[in-house]
Amino acid sequence: MPLRFQNRPALVAYLTCGDPDLAITMDIALAAIDAGADVVELGVPFSDPVADGPVIQRASERALRHGTSLLQVLELARKIRKKSQAGLIIFTYLNPVLRMGMEKFSAAAQDACVDGALITDLPVEESRDYLVEMQKRGLATVFLAAPTSTDARLQQIARASSGFVYAVSRTGVTGARQQMPEDAPKLVGRLRRYTDLPVAVGFGISTSAQFEAVGKFADAAVVGSAIVEIIERNPGKEAESVAQFVRQFLVSGRQSSALSR
Amino acid sequence: MATAKIQLRPTASSAGRFGVYGGRYVPETLMAALDELERHYEKAKRDRNFQKRLNQLLHTYAGRPTPLFFAQRLTKILGGAKVYLKREDLLHTGAHKINNCLGQALLVERMGKHRVIAETGAGQHGVATATVCALLGFECVVYMGTEDMRRQELNVFRMRLLGAEVRGVDSGSRTLKDAINEAMRDWVTNVRTTHYLLGSVLGAHPYPTMVRDFHKVTGREARAQILKAEGRLPKAIIACVGGGSNSIGIFYEFIKDKKVQLIGVEAGGEGNAWAIMPRASAAVRQACCRGPTHMCCRMRLGRFRQRTPFRRVLIIPPLVRSTPG
């Protein structure tokens, strides 16, 4: 299934699976999609999330406390797919995938009918086996592009990516920031030279004003920590709270871009 | 304690691979910095001025060469082999760590960076890093688990005395594993101005190779010294293994000597299945953590868990086999 970014800007919502538990993650994912999220990134909790800030670190710790595994996340994806046709991406660190085996992972991902995967700490140079297995099964391989990536690297990233390219808005870890750094538009501009794929911008986007700003130069924005924090702060009403956030976020974030069209 | 047979490979192939181990598994943001570091390191290796300056500092500042001491009474008590001790403890700051810190600090100078970060467990690497930063005038931040800070208060004091900022890490197990994670997060944020001075033979290429190269001076000296003292090579070399820098330092120059047995000894933990993992082969699989693929002590699901060491000195989850450690 192709990843679709019909809305501009599209919203990619990240969830740490298993926080607070897998059943609630499923409710949250469906509620977020219902509220307008175009793609859901199903985050696999990991013990050493070096690319993540404190919010996702805490969520990962909570999810790992009751043993959330990659296999369970894939099972969750399959259940979500039965109820929704929205884009689904497995978002993970490499180690759980390596432990499962590339072939088994991509077969399980295909079986769960997800659209693709993003492995945070797998740079293009090391991705040969992964690409072979994923491409064989028609699964998208989303790679990260960073403001520090050289043009030569961006070219490689563009070539290895399918589905979309994930542009990291700034150097640093995930987590909300007040402003959109200058790095992001420049990086997206550089990326466009090498690819026609949609570009999603992530890391630090938490407000509709930022979402609107990203919409001016990118196809989609990824919102992670802001959503994960809402889940943390609203025990017992996680799904409603996320749905409400997403709805408001989209209404105010797309308002002016709709007007300008 | 536990022992494991290790396949030794003397050199890394392309992209820092040692057989199935090694490589680079880090977020994209760090890739350009690793390329830059590798480039500078490769140049420095061939640069006579760099090598001359490093050797001079090792000699005049760190205190190399260190003696090889014949431990007469220990030999008598043990009643078998003649025991020699390579006295790396006599180096400035009290451990071999200074070899690598001096080497990397000179690279920091070459790269034009001015801020250095490091992780430390017991504090030895932190002290050595703080020392070279004071020597060359770099800003220095050391990440240390709060549990380790409590256990190693004196080293925290030493680092601060040397002008370093020690940042306590309160996440996870509050020990070395978490300090490394936090240092990585700092690096990913400040990579344009900051060098991560890694103290173990782990991390992404070129770190394992580079750390090994800066430490191999120990084995080179020991080889010449034992030949002078005994007129022959030793039957065995025994080294403790934590992050691997000590052991590879003394092993490396002897790898080509097939008759010299190289024995690494590591803390084995407190008795549950994963803690005695070197023997529990089912638990030892290829793993990737903060850079290269390592043999790691891991749980069933591919996550890392803090090891419970026999002695609470070196606390680190990955058992580095990428370079013989």
Side-chain angles (χ1 to χ4, degrees):
Chain A
M1 186 170 332
L3 281 161
R4 285 161 307 196
F5 291 107
Q6 281 167 341
N7 301 303
R8 285 291 187 274
L11 175 67
V12 180
Y14 168 92
L15 303 172
T16 301
C17 294
D19 171 41
D21 64 42
L22 286 159
I24 296 177
T25 303
M26 170 138 171
D27 294 344
I28 301 169
L30 292 170
I33 293 164
D34 194 46
D38 302 87
V39 174
V40 174
E41 285 180 349
L42 296 168
V44 179
F46 184 53
S47 56
D48 297 80
V50 295
D52 286 301
V55 172
I56 294 176
Q57 283 176 47
R58 287 198 301 269
S60 304
E61 275 177 32
R62 285 192 296 269
L64 289 175
R65 229 171 276 150
H66 49 85
T68 310
S69 68
L70 174 58
L71 212 61
Q72 288 173 345
V73 172
L74 287 161
E75 188 50 40
L76 171 72
R78 183 214 305 277
K79 286 185 191 157
I80 297 172
R81 174 56 79 225
K82 279 188 184 145
K83 298 196 174 179
S84 166
Q85 293 306 305
L88 292 177
I89 296 283
I90 301 293
F91 192 101
T92 182
Y93 285 84
L94 176 62
N95 210 58
V97 177
L98 205 60
R99 180 71 174 86
M100 183 182 265
M102 281 298 175
E103 199 185 338
K104 199 177 156 198
F105 168 72
S106 57
Q110 184 186 31
D111 198 43
C113 295
V114 301
D115 298 285
L118 190 163
I119 304 181
T120 322
D121 49 353
L122 184 69
V124 277
E125 289 88 335
E126 307 282 1
S127 67
R128 212 182 54 193
D129 295 352
Y130 169 67
L131 287 176
V132 168
E133 293 299 332
M134 296 292 277
Q135 280 164 3
K136 210 155 69 183
R137 296 177 173 86
L139 293 166
T141 49
V142 181
F143 281 88
L144 298 172
T148 50
S149 306
T150 56
D151 282 352
R153 295 196 58 79
L154 290 184
Q155 210 167 349
Q156 281 181 291
I157 289 162
R159 210 176 300 142
S161 294
S162 48
F164 63 98
V165 185
Y166 188 133
V168 177
S169 69
R170 56 178 157 74
T171 60
V173 292
T174 57
R177 294 290 190 286
Q178 289 306 310
Q179 258 135 29
M180 180 54 59
E182 290 164 25
D183 284 344
K186 220 170 116 190
L187 171 60
V188 174
R190 288 168 63 215
L191 259 173
R192 300 269 197 220
R193 275 188 253 157
Y194 307 112
T195 183
D196 296 327
L197 286 172
V199 177
V201 171
F203 279 43
I205 297 166
S206 60
T207 67
S208 41
Q210 290 171 325
F211 182 62
E212 196 187 326
V214 166
K216 296 202 171 100
F217 60 87
D219 305 285
V222 187
V223 179
S225 297
I227 292 175
V228 173
E229 198 166 13
I230 284 167
I231 294 166
E232 183 177 48
R233 283 188 183 168
N234 293 280
K237 42 181 181 160
E238 294 88 353
E240 304 100 277
S241 310
V242 169
Q244 197 190 350
F245 170 81
V246 169
R247 227 170 270 128
Q248 267 174 5
F249 192 86
L250 289 175
V251 167
S252 35
R254 283 190 186 136
Q255 225 158 30
S256 65
S257 44
L259 286 175
S260 67
R261 257 174 221 164
Chain B
M1 284 192 303
T3 56
K5 285 226 165 180
I6 303 163
Q7 182 68 38
L8 297 183
R9 284 170 194 273
T11 50
S13 64
S14 62
R17 292 209 161 271
F18 300 81
V20 296
Y21 304 114
R24 264 182 196 173
Y25 299 93
V26 292
E28 173 62 24
T29 308
L30 297 176
M31 289 302 286
L34 290 170
D35 280 339
E36 181 194 19
L37 179 61
E38 185 183 11
R39 231 172 21 246
H40 281 277
Y41 176 58
E42 287 303 323
K43 261 192 209 154
K45 251 199 315 202
R46 291 187 297 270
D47 180 346
R48 274 201 195 154
N49 288 330
F50 179 91
Q51 294 301 336
K52 203 172 140 194
R53 181 139 184 253
L54 177 58
N55 285 332
Q56 198 176 17
L57 282 172
L58 286 171
H59 179 63
T60 60
Y61 186 71
R64 299 215 74 94
T66 58
L68 183 75
F69 174 72
F70 175 56
Q72 203 169 2
R73 294 193 65 219
L74 187 60
T75 296
K76 216 169 176 180
I77 291 164
L78 294 175
K82 283 173 91 172
V83 179
Y84 280 85
L85 303 174
K86 178 65 173 160
R87 297 293 306 274
E88 293 295 285
D89 56 306
L90 297 177
L91 286 170
H92 184 32
T93 71
H96 67 289
K97 305 279 189 189
I98 193 89
N99 300 330
N100 168 52
C101 287
L102 280 171
Q104 285 196 43
L106 293 183
L107 283 176
V108 174
E109 228 176 35
R110 275 178 90 102
M111 291 188 288
K113 292 187 172 180
H114 53 77
R115 183 173 179 267
V116 168
I117 56 169
E119 82 297 341
T120 196
Q124 293 284 12
H125 175 59
V127 169
T129 303
T131 303
V132 297
C133 287
L135 176 73
L136 296 173
F138 301 138
E139 183 188 342
C140 178
V141 175
V142 178
Y143 288 91
M144 189 172 188
T146 48
E147 181 57 23
D148 284 337
M149 283 175 79
R150 191 186 57 75
R151 289 198 290 242
Q152 304 287 346
E153 215 182 321
L154 183 61
N155 279 337
V156 175
F157 177 74
R158 286 175 79 192
M159 286 183 267
R160 287 182 174 151
L161 205 60
L162 287 156
E165 182 192 338
V166 182
R167 289 191 189 161
V169 177
D170 234 347
S171 58
S173 55
R174 296 176 192 154
T175 56
L176 182 55
K177 158 180 122 58
D178 311 285
I180 294 175
N181 290 346
E182 216 44 51
M184 287 289 288
R185 291 183 187 117
D186 181 318
W187 200 30
V188 96
T189 308
N190 303 302
V191 61
R192 287 174 171 127
T193 58
T194 300
H195 174 71
Y196 183 7
L197 207 163
L198 196 62
S200 300
V201 274
L202 51 80
H205 179 65
Y207 280 105
T209 305
M210 188 172 71
V211 175
R212 176 201 69 194
D213 288 352
F214 286 138
H215 279 304
K216 66 186 181 190
V217 60
T218 306
R220 196 185 310 140
E221 283 174 13
R223 199 169 187 281
Q225 285 165 326
I226 194 74
L227 284 174
K228 194 171 174 210
E230 290 288 331
R232 49 162 289 191
L233 291 172
K235 275 195 174 151
I237 296 170
I238 302 177
C240 57
V241 182
S245 65
N246 170 62
S247 46
I248 191 59
I250 186 122
F251 287 166
Y252 188 67
E253 293 286 330
F254 292 93
I255 291 175
K256 58 184 182 295
D257 304 312
K258 298 287 177 224
K259 286 187 177 157
V260 180
Q261 202 186 345
L262 305 177
I263 303 168
V265 184
E266 68 179 344
E270 287 171 357
N272 42 15
W274 53 266
I276 53 165
M277 46 99 2
R279 272 171 297 180
S281 61
V284 185
R285 297 267 174 89
Q286 186 184 346
C288 126
C289 172
R290 306 176 201 96
T293 41
H294 295 299
M295 292 288 233
C296 259
C297 176
R298 296 167 319 138
M299 292 182 70
R300 194 165 45 88
L301 305 173
R303 301 192 299 268
F304 300 108
R305 187 161 160 182
Q306 185 208 358
R307 281 171 55 215
T308 312
F310 189 61
R311 291 177 311 146
R312 290 198 172 275
V313 178
L314 285 161
I315 303 169
I316 187 165
L319 281 165
V320 180
R321 299 274 186 274
S322 56
T323 48

